[in-house]
Amino acid sequence: SLGLASAMLLPALFGVPAQWGAVGLTASAGVAGWIEFHLLRRKMNQKLGPTGVPARILFKLWSAACLAAVAGCAVEYLVPSHSPIVTAIYVLGVHGMAYFAVTYLMHIRECVELMGKLLRRARVG
């Protein structure tokens, strides 16, 4: 019902073209997803105890994601235009490597452990 109202009623109410109802539909799906997430997490915390990621780690991960996104956007801007697939390979490759590098430099435990495993395998092989 939230999606229907957002897609069909709100554009007319705000005087915007009807095709903008798709934006309302997408936004309502996002709101519904966050409500469901909150309800499920609350129930999990009641049954299992506290769950989630500490705020400090979450801040580091979001910071790494933002820096990696900037690197990906810079590559898209600086690299000559190719087909969408070639551009995606460049952009996503740089984004992934930047994210991995930043999380490693921030000493994110999972990243440091993965790097240790990769280095051990490289030495063995």
Side-chain angles (χ1 to χ4, degrees):
S1 62
L2 181 62
L4 179 64
S6 298
M8 305 297 279
L9 302 176
L10 288 180
L13 183 68
F14 288 115
V16 297
Q19 65 261 25
W20 284 96
V23 173
L25 185 60
T26 303
S28 69
V31 169
W34 277 105
I35 291 170
E36 181 181 10
F37 171 76
H38 173 71
L39 294 173
L40 289 171
R41 184 168 177 183
R42 188 176 69 184
K43 188 58 108 175
M44 274 182 39
N45 286 340
Q46 287 174 354
K47 290 190 179 254
L48 302 175
T51 62
V53 178
R56 183 171 171 258
I57 300 295
L58 201 56
F59 177 77
K60 286 183 174 183
L61 293 174
W62 273 100
S63 298
C66 289
L67 290 170
V70 168
C73 288
V75 166
E76 183 180 20
Y77 180 76
L78 296 173
V79 171
S81 182
H82 294 286
S83 71
I85 296 198
V86 172
T87 301
I89 290 170
Y90 289 146
V91 170
L92 295 174
V94 167
H95 179 275
M97 289 186 292
Y99 185 78
F100 185 77
V102 172
T103 55
Y104 182 78
L105 293 172
M106 289 182 171
H107 304 289
I108 302 297
R109 181 175 45 89
E110 291 81 2
C111 183
V112 172
E113 288 175 3
L114 176 63
M115 190 63 174
K117 287 178 184 179
L118 292 174
L119 288 174
R120 281 192 298 278
R121 286 188 184 201
R123 287 184 204 137
V124 172

